[in-house]
Amino acid sequence: MFSIGPARRDHLPAARVALGLFLPLLILTLTGRLDLAIFANFSAFTGIYGRNEPHRMRLVTQARAGLLMFAVLLAATLVARLSPGGALDPWMSVAATSVVAWACSIIAGLWHLRPAGSLFYIFAFAAVASVPHQPPLWEAMLTSVLVIALCLGIGVLSRVRASHRTPLSWKELARVRRIRVAPAERRMVWVESIGYLVAPALAGWAATSVGQAMGFGHNYWAMVAAVVPLVGHSTRHRVTRGLQRVLGTVVGLGLLWVIVAVRPEAWVMVILIAICQFGAELLIARQYFLAQVCVTPLALLSSLLMARVEPATLLHDRFIDTVIGAAVGLLVVLAPAVFRRLATR
Protein backbone atom coordinates (compact mmCIF):
# COMPACT_ATOMS: atom_id res chain seq x y z
CA MET A 1 0.00 0.00 0.00
CA PHE A 2 2.76 2.48 0.86
CA SER A 3 5.88 1.02 -0.78
CA ILE A 4 7.49 3.10 -3.53
CA GLY A 5 9.07 1.74 -6.68
CA PRO A 6 12.48 2.72 -8.06
CA ALA A 7 12.93 5.87 -10.12
CA ARG A 8 13.26 5.36 -13.88
CA ARG A 9 14.10 8.86 -15.11
CA ASP A 10 10.53 9.85 -14.19
CA HIS A 11 11.46 13.54 -14.06
CA LEU A 12 11.70 13.66 -17.87
CA PRO A 13 8.10 12.66 -18.72
CA ALA A 14 6.91 14.63 -15.68
CA ALA A 15 8.58 17.78 -17.02
CA ARG A 16 7.09 17.23 -20.49
CA VAL A 17 3.56 16.83 -19.17
CA ALA A 18 3.84 19.77 -16.76
CA LEU A 19 5.18 22.05 -19.51
CA GLY A 20 2.38 21.04 -21.88
CA LEU A 21 -0.17 22.13 -19.27
CA PHE A 22 1.63 25.17 -17.85
CA LEU A 23 2.23 27.08 -21.09
CA PRO A 24 -1.39 27.06 -22.38
CA LEU A 25 -2.86 27.92 -18.97
CA LEU A 26 -0.37 30.75 -18.50
CA ILE A 27 -1.20 32.23 -21.92
CA LEU A 28 -4.95 32.00 -21.27
CA THR A 29 -4.51 33.59 -17.84
CA LEU A 30 -2.48 36.50 -19.20
CA THR A 31 -4.95 37.08 -22.06
CA GLY A 32 -8.00 36.85 -19.82
CA ARG A 33 -9.49 33.82 -21.62
CA LEU A 34 -9.92 31.41 -18.74
CA ASP A 35 -13.22 30.33 -20.29
CA LEU A 36 -11.07 28.26 -22.65
CA ALA A 37 -8.94 26.80 -19.86
CA ILE A 38 -11.04 23.65 -19.50
CA PHE A 39 -10.39 22.72 -23.16
CA ALA A 40 -6.66 23.42 -22.78
CA ASN A 41 -6.53 21.46 -19.55
CA PHE A 42 -7.99 18.26 -20.94
CA SER A 43 -6.20 18.54 -24.29
CA ALA A 44 -2.92 18.66 -22.35
CA PHE A 45 -3.61 15.08 -21.20
CA THR A 46 -2.23 14.13 -24.61
CA GLY A 47 1.27 14.47 -23.13
CA ILE A 48 0.58 11.76 -20.56
CA TYR A 49 0.54 9.02 -23.18
CA GLY A 50 3.61 7.29 -24.59
CA ARG A 51 5.50 7.97 -21.38
CA ASN A 52 8.63 5.86 -21.97
CA GLU A 53 8.24 4.98 -25.64
CA PRO A 54 10.79 5.85 -28.37
CA HIS A 55 10.10 9.07 -30.24
CA ARG A 56 8.41 7.41 -33.22
CA MET A 57 6.11 5.36 -30.99
CA ARG A 58 5.42 8.28 -28.68
CA LEU A 59 4.44 10.55 -31.55
CA VAL A 60 2.00 7.98 -32.95
CA THR A 61 0.58 7.14 -29.52
CA GLN A 62 0.12 10.77 -28.53
CA ALA A 63 -1.43 11.61 -31.91
CA ARG A 64 -4.01 8.87 -31.39
CA ALA A 65 -4.67 9.93 -27.79
CA GLY A 66 -4.99 13.57 -28.87
CA LEU A 67 -7.37 12.69 -31.70
CA LEU A 68 -9.58 10.73 -29.32
CA MET A 69 -9.51 13.56 -26.77
CA PHE A 70 -10.45 16.10 -29.44
CA ALA A 71 -13.40 13.93 -30.49
CA VAL A 72 -14.54 13.58 -26.87
CA LEU A 73 -14.29 17.34 -26.23
CA LEU A 74 -16.17 18.10 -29.45
CA ALA A 75 -18.92 15.65 -28.56
CA ALA A 76 -19.17 17.02 -25.02
CA THR A 77 -19.48 20.66 -26.05
CA LEU A 78 -22.01 19.83 -28.79
CA VAL A 79 -24.13 17.83 -26.34
CA ALA A 80 -24.01 20.72 -23.85
CA ARG A 81 -25.01 23.29 -26.49
CA LEU A 82 -27.94 21.16 -27.67
CA SER A 83 -29.20 20.50 -24.13
CA PRO A 84 -31.88 22.66 -22.46
CA GLY A 85 -30.18 25.36 -20.39
CA GLY A 86 -26.88 24.92 -22.21
CA ALA A 87 -25.63 22.10 -19.95
CA LEU A 88 -26.30 18.38 -19.69
CA ASP A 89 -28.83 17.22 -17.09
CA PRO A 90 -27.14 15.21 -14.26
CA TRP A 91 -29.01 12.00 -15.11
CA MET A 92 -28.38 12.38 -18.82
CA SER A 93 -24.75 13.11 -17.98
CA VAL A 94 -24.47 9.77 -16.17
CA ALA A 95 -25.92 7.90 -19.16
CA ALA A 96 -23.86 9.72 -21.80
CA THR A 97 -20.62 9.58 -19.81
CA SER A 98 -21.04 5.84 -19.19
CA VAL A 99 -21.38 5.23 -22.93
CA VAL A 100 -18.31 7.41 -23.59
CA ALA A 101 -16.36 5.51 -20.92
CA TRP A 102 -17.28 2.18 -22.53
CA ALA A 103 -16.49 3.28 -26.09
CA CYS A 104 -13.20 4.97 -25.19
CA SER A 105 -12.04 1.95 -23.20
CA ILE A 106 -12.49 -0.19 -26.31
CA ILE A 107 -10.69 2.29 -28.56
CA ALA A 108 -7.86 2.74 -26.03
CA GLY A 109 -7.50 -1.02 -25.73
CA LEU A 110 -7.44 -1.68 -29.47
CA TRP A 111 -5.02 1.24 -30.01
CA HIS A 112 -2.73 0.04 -27.18
CA LEU A 113 -2.89 3.41 -25.43
CA ARG A 114 -1.04 3.64 -22.13
CA PRO A 115 -2.21 4.65 -19.53
CA ALA A 116 -4.90 2.05 -20.19
CA GLY A 117 -8.60 2.64 -19.80
CA SER A 118 -10.79 5.68 -20.36
CA LEU A 119 -10.32 7.64 -17.12
CA PHE A 120 -9.16 10.89 -18.74
CA TYR A 121 -11.86 10.76 -21.39
CA ILE A 122 -14.60 10.23 -18.79
CA PHE A 123 -13.34 13.25 -16.87
CA ALA A 124 -13.13 15.41 -20.00
CA PHE A 125 -16.56 14.56 -21.39
CA ALA A 126 -18.50 14.93 -18.15
CA ALA A 127 -16.73 18.12 -17.06
CA VAL A 128 -17.16 19.93 -20.39
CA ALA A 129 -20.75 18.75 -20.86
CA SER A 130 -21.66 20.18 -17.44
CA VAL A 131 -20.30 23.70 -18.18
CA PRO A 132 -23.38 25.97 -18.48
CA HIS A 133 -21.81 28.80 -20.50
CA GLN A 134 -19.74 27.47 -23.39
CA PRO A 135 -17.27 29.69 -25.29
CA PRO A 136 -17.60 29.95 -29.10
CA LEU A 137 -17.22 26.51 -30.63
CA TRP A 138 -14.43 27.41 -33.04
CA GLU A 139 -12.37 29.00 -30.25
CA ALA A 140 -12.78 25.95 -28.02
CA MET A 141 -11.78 23.51 -30.74
CA LEU A 142 -8.89 25.68 -31.93
CA THR A 143 -7.59 25.79 -28.36
CA SER A 144 -7.79 22.00 -28.19
CA VAL A 145 -5.95 21.51 -31.50
CA LEU A 146 -3.18 23.97 -30.57
CA VAL A 147 -2.61 22.39 -27.15
CA ILE A 148 -2.54 18.89 -28.65
CA ALA A 149 -0.02 20.06 -31.26
CA LEU A 150 2.07 21.63 -28.48
CA CYS A 151 2.11 18.35 -26.56
CA LEU A 152 3.17 16.45 -29.67
CA GLY A 153 6.01 18.91 -30.17
CA ILE A 154 7.13 18.66 -26.56
CA GLY A 155 6.98 14.86 -26.88
CA VAL A 156 9.78 14.86 -29.44
CA LEU A 157 11.63 17.85 -27.98
CA SER A 158 14.29 15.68 -26.35
CA ARG A 159 15.58 14.78 -29.82
CA VAL A 160 17.66 17.97 -29.70
CA ARG A 161 20.07 16.01 -27.52
CA ALA A 162 21.96 13.35 -29.47
CA SER A 163 22.09 11.05 -26.45
CA HIS A 164 18.27 10.99 -26.25
CA ARG A 165 17.63 10.71 -29.98
CA THR A 166 15.82 7.69 -31.42
CA PRO A 167 14.88 7.04 -35.08
CA LEU A 168 12.07 9.23 -36.41
CA SER A 169 11.15 9.19 -40.10
CA TRP A 170 8.07 8.79 -42.28
CA LYS A 171 9.07 5.20 -42.93
CA GLU A 172 9.41 4.48 -39.22
CA LEU A 173 6.11 6.22 -38.45
CA ALA A 174 4.33 4.24 -41.16
CA ARG A 175 5.72 1.03 -39.69
CA VAL A 176 4.67 1.65 -36.09
CA ARG A 177 1.24 3.08 -36.87
CA ARG A 178 -0.01 -0.35 -37.89
CA ILE A 179 -1.64 -2.03 -34.90
CA ARG A 180 -1.76 -5.80 -34.62
CA VAL A 181 -4.44 -7.09 -32.25
CA ALA A 182 -4.66 -10.82 -31.64
CA PRO A 183 -8.16 -12.36 -31.44
CA ALA A 184 -7.67 -13.24 -27.75
CA GLU A 185 -6.57 -9.69 -26.99
CA ARG A 186 -9.53 -8.23 -28.88
CA ARG A 187 -11.89 -10.48 -26.94
CA MET A 188 -10.33 -9.41 -23.64
CA VAL A 189 -10.72 -5.72 -24.56
CA TRP A 190 -14.44 -6.21 -25.16
CA VAL A 191 -14.86 -8.20 -21.94
CA GLU A 192 -13.05 -5.59 -19.83
CA SER A 193 -15.07 -2.80 -21.45
CA ILE A 194 -18.14 -4.08 -19.59
CA GLY A 195 -16.59 -2.83 -16.35
CA TYR A 196 -16.11 0.61 -17.89
CA LEU A 197 -19.84 0.71 -18.65
CA VAL A 198 -21.14 -0.71 -15.39
CA ALA A 199 -18.83 1.02 -12.86
CA PRO A 200 -19.35 4.64 -14.05
CA ALA A 201 -23.08 4.08 -14.46
CA LEU A 202 -23.51 2.72 -10.93
CA ALA A 203 -21.21 5.34 -9.39
CA GLY A 204 -22.92 8.16 -11.29
CA TRP A 205 -26.36 6.91 -10.26
CA ALA A 206 -25.32 6.66 -6.59
CA ALA A 207 -23.54 10.05 -6.55
CA THR A 208 -26.46 11.79 -8.28
CA SER A 209 -29.01 10.26 -5.93
CA VAL A 210 -27.00 11.10 -2.81
CA GLY A 211 -26.06 14.53 -4.18
CA GLN A 212 -29.64 15.53 -4.86
CA ALA A 213 -30.65 14.36 -1.38
CA MET A 214 -27.76 16.15 0.38
CA GLY A 215 -27.45 19.14 -1.95
CA PHE A 216 -24.12 18.69 -3.74
CA GLY A 217 -23.04 18.05 -7.34
CA HIS A 218 -20.03 16.96 -9.46
CA ASN A 219 -21.27 13.38 -9.89
CA TYR A 220 -18.58 12.79 -12.54
CA TRP A 221 -15.91 12.76 -9.83
CA ALA A 222 -17.51 9.56 -8.55
CA MET A 223 -17.55 8.15 -12.08
CA VAL A 224 -13.85 8.91 -12.51
CA ALA A 225 -13.01 7.32 -9.15
CA ALA A 226 -15.03 4.23 -10.07
CA VAL A 227 -12.82 3.32 -13.05
CA VAL A 228 -9.53 3.71 -11.15
CA PRO A 229 -9.65 0.16 -9.68
CA LEU A 230 -10.41 -1.32 -13.11
CA VAL A 231 -6.79 -0.83 -14.23
CA GLY A 232 -4.34 -3.38 -12.83
CA HIS A 233 -2.74 -6.77 -13.41
CA SER A 234 -4.48 -8.52 -10.51
CA THR A 235 -7.48 -8.17 -8.21
CA ARG A 236 -5.19 -7.35 -5.28
CA HIS A 237 -3.51 -4.59 -7.26
CA ARG A 238 -6.85 -3.14 -8.34
CA VAL A 239 -8.23 -3.13 -4.80
CA THR A 240 -5.06 -1.44 -3.58
CA ARG A 241 -5.44 1.29 -6.22
CA GLY A 242 -9.00 1.96 -5.11
CA LEU A 243 -7.97 2.33 -1.47
CA GLN A 244 -4.99 4.48 -2.40
CA ARG A 245 -7.35 6.72 -4.37
CA VAL A 246 -9.42 7.43 -1.26
CA LEU A 247 -6.47 7.89 1.09
CA GLY A 248 -4.59 10.10 -1.37
CA THR A 249 -7.69 12.22 -1.89
CA VAL A 250 -8.07 12.80 1.85
CA VAL A 251 -4.45 13.95 2.23
CA GLY A 252 -4.67 15.97 -1.00
CA LEU A 253 -7.76 17.78 0.27
CA GLY A 254 -5.82 18.80 3.37
CA LEU A 255 -3.05 20.19 1.16
CA LEU A 256 -5.58 22.04 -0.97
CA TRP A 257 -7.20 23.57 2.14
CA VAL A 258 -3.84 25.09 3.05
CA ILE A 259 -3.43 26.48 -0.48
CA VAL A 260 -6.88 28.06 -0.76
CA ALA A 261 -6.54 29.60 2.69
CA VAL A 262 -3.84 31.85 1.18
CA ARG A 263 -6.20 32.89 -1.68
CA PRO A 264 -3.54 32.88 -4.43
CA GLU A 265 -3.84 34.95 -7.60
CA ALA A 266 -4.68 33.27 -10.91
CA TRP A 267 -1.08 33.24 -12.18
CA VAL A 268 0.09 31.71 -8.88
CA MET A 269 -2.58 29.01 -9.23
CA VAL A 270 -1.25 28.20 -12.71
CA ILE A 271 2.22 27.68 -11.27
CA LEU A 272 0.81 25.49 -8.49
CA ILE A 273 -1.15 23.47 -11.06
CA ALA A 274 2.05 22.85 -13.04
CA ILE A 275 3.90 21.82 -9.87
CA CYS A 276 1.11 19.40 -8.92
CA GLN A 277 1.08 17.98 -12.45
CA PHE A 278 4.85 17.46 -12.29
CA GLY A 279 4.52 15.72 -8.92
CA ALA A 280 1.68 13.51 -10.11
CA GLU A 281 3.60 12.31 -13.17
CA LEU A 282 6.77 11.92 -11.14
CA LEU A 283 5.04 9.50 -8.76
CA ILE A 284 2.20 7.91 -10.74
CA ALA A 285 4.24 4.88 -11.84
CA ARG A 286 5.98 4.50 -8.47
CA GLN A 287 3.39 5.18 -5.73
CA TYR A 288 -0.28 5.76 -6.56
CA PHE A 289 -1.15 7.08 -3.09
CA LEU A 290 1.45 9.85 -3.26
CA ALA A 291 0.45 10.63 -6.84
CA GLN A 292 -3.14 11.12 -5.69
CA VAL A 293 -1.95 13.60 -3.07
CA CYS A 294 -0.82 15.73 -6.03
CA VAL A 295 -3.75 14.91 -8.33
CA THR A 296 -6.42 16.11 -5.88
CA PRO A 297 -5.21 19.73 -5.54
CA LEU A 298 -4.37 19.68 -9.27
CA ALA A 299 -7.97 18.88 -10.24
CA LEU A 300 -9.58 21.26 -7.77
CA LEU A 301 -7.20 24.14 -8.45
CA SER A 302 -8.07 23.75 -12.13
CA SER A 303 -11.76 23.97 -11.21
CA LEU A 304 -11.17 27.07 -9.08
CA LEU A 305 -9.16 28.67 -11.88
CA MET A 306 -11.91 28.16 -14.46
CA ALA A 307 -14.88 29.05 -12.26
CA ARG A 308 -14.67 30.91 -8.97
CA VAL A 309 -16.72 28.81 -6.57
CA GLU A 310 -16.64 28.25 -2.84
CA PRO A 311 -13.55 26.06 -2.08
CA ALA A 312 -15.25 24.38 0.88
CA THR A 313 -18.00 23.14 -1.44
CA LEU A 314 -15.46 21.58 -3.80
CA LEU A 315 -13.60 19.88 -0.94
CA HIS A 316 -16.84 18.47 0.45
CA ASP A 317 -18.07 17.23 -2.94
CA ARG A 318 -14.71 15.74 -3.90
CA PHE A 319 -14.42 13.64 -0.76
CA ILE A 320 -17.94 12.19 -0.88
CA ASP A 321 -17.87 11.52 -4.62
CA THR A 322 -14.45 9.85 -4.39
CA VAL A 323 -15.62 7.54 -1.60
CA ILE A 324 -18.77 6.62 -3.55
CA GLY A 325 -16.87 6.04 -6.78
CA ALA A 326 -14.06 4.02 -5.22
CA ALA A 327 -16.55 1.84 -3.32
CA VAL A 328 -18.49 1.10 -6.52
CA GLY A 329 -15.27 0.42 -8.44
CA LEU A 330 -14.08 -2.04 -5.79
CA LEU A 331 -17.42 -3.86 -5.89
CA VAL A 332 -17.20 -4.18 -9.67
CA VAL A 333 -13.63 -5.50 -9.39
CA LEU A 334 -14.48 -8.02 -6.66
CA ALA A 335 -17.79 -9.21 -8.14
CA PRO A 336 -16.26 -11.54 -10.80
CA ALA A 337 -13.92 -13.14 -8.25
CA VAL A 338 -16.78 -13.72 -5.82
CA PHE A 339 -18.98 -15.10 -8.60
CA ARG A 340 -16.25 -17.54 -9.71
CA ARG A 341 -15.74 -18.74 -6.14
CA LEU A 342 -19.47 -19.32 -5.65
CA ALA A 343 -19.71 -21.06 -9.01
CA THR A 344 -16.82 -23.34 -8.07
CA ARG A 345 -18.49 -24.29 -4.82
Side-chain angles (χ1 to χ4, degrees):
M1 179 68 73
F2 300 105
S3 61
I4 186 167
R8 294 186 175 92
R9 300 168 64 88
D10 301 289
H11 62 286
L12 297 177
R16 291 198 305 264
V17 175
L19 186 62
L21 178 62
F22 172 72
L23 291 178
L25 290 185
L26 180 62
I27 292 173
L28 293 175
T29 301
L30 296 178
T31 56
R33 291 306 308 271
L34 288 177
D35 57 322
L36 297 171
I38 190 170
F39 296 94
N41 203 347
F42 288 119
S43 298
F45 284 156
T46 300
I48 293 174
Y49 292 85
R51 179 185 180 95
N52 295 317
E53 294 176 351
H55 291 113
R56 60 184 183 278
M57 285 294 299
R58 184 185 303 155
L59 184 59
V60 172
T61 298
Q62 291 185 346
R64 287 178 178 141
L67 177 63
L68 184 56
M69 180 59 75
F70 177 83
V72 167
L73 292 176
L74 177 60
T77 188
L78 289 177
V79 166
R81 293 167 196 274
L82 296 176
S83 301
L88 203 57
D89 173 81
W91 291 107
M92 289 299 298
S93 177
V94 171
T97 304
S98 299
V99 173
V100 169
W102 169 75
C104 289
S105 71
I106 294 173
I107 296 173
L110 296 179
W111 281 359
H112 295 169
L113 296 182
R114 296 293 181 273
S118 56
L119 184 149
F120 301 112
Y121 302 105
I122 296 173
F123 197 2
F125 180 86
V128 171
S130 64
V131 173
H133 303 292
Q134 300 276 340
L137 181 61
W138 73 270
E139 293 183 358
M141 294 300 98
L142 178 61
T143 300
S144 177
V145 169
L146 292 177
V147 174
I148 291 171
L150 173 66
C151 292
L152 294 180
I154 293 175
V156 297
L157 188 63
S158 60
R159 283 181 54 81
V160 298
R161 293 184 60 182
S163 59
H164 290 188
R165 195 170 297 161
T166 58
L168 180 63
S169 64
W170 286 113
K171 183 178 180 180
E172 290 287 341
L173 292 176
R175 185 173 63 85
V176 299
R177 71 179 176 84
R178 291 190 291 271
I179 305 174
R180 295 176 176 84
V181 183
E185 182 184 4
R186 186 184 301 273
R187 187 165 52 252
M188 183 58 66
V189 167
W190 282 92
V191 170
E192 291 185 346
S193 71
I194 298 174
Y196 284 92
L197 179 63
V198 174
L202 291 178
W205 172 81
T208 304
S209 301
V210 174
Q212 290 183 347
M214 299 178 60
F216 66 90
H218 302 96
N219 57 7
Y220 58 86
W221 282 341
M223 303 178 77
V224 171
V227 302
V228 168
L230 302 184
V231 179
H233 54 267
S234 66
T235 300
R236 182 187 296 272
H237 182 219
R238 295 180 178 189
V239 171
T240 300
R241 279 174 59 91
L243 297 176
Q244 286 176 321
R245 177 82 178 192
V246 175
L247 294 176
T249 297
V250 172
V251 178
L253 290 175
L255 177 60
L256 178 66
W257 182 83
V258 174
I259 294 174
V260 298
V262 182
R263 298 184 179 275
E265 296 291 333
W267 65 271
V268 177
M269 292 175 66
V270 170
I271 295 175
L272 292 174
I273 288 171
I275 293 173
C276 289
Q277 182 70 78
F278 179 83
E281 289 304 309
L282 190 69
L283 297 165
I284 194 70
R286 302 177 61 194
Q287 226 301 329
Y288 195 72
F289 162 70
L290 294 178
Q292 283 305 306
V293 175
C294 298
V295 168
T296 300
L298 165 65
L300 298 186
L301 282 173
S302 299
S303 299
L304 291 172
L305 180 67
M306 300 167 197
R308 292 291 180 171
V309 296
E310 181 60 38
T313 301
L314 285 181
L315 269 66
H316 172 268
D317 293 4
R318 177 75 175 197
F319 174 73
I320 296 179
D321 283 330
T322 298
V323 172
I324 292 174
V328 170
L330 292 176
L331 288 175
V332 172
V333 166
L334 293 173
V338 173
F339 177 79
R340 284 194 298 268
R341 181 168 297 181
L342 292 176
T344 302
R345 290 180 179 178

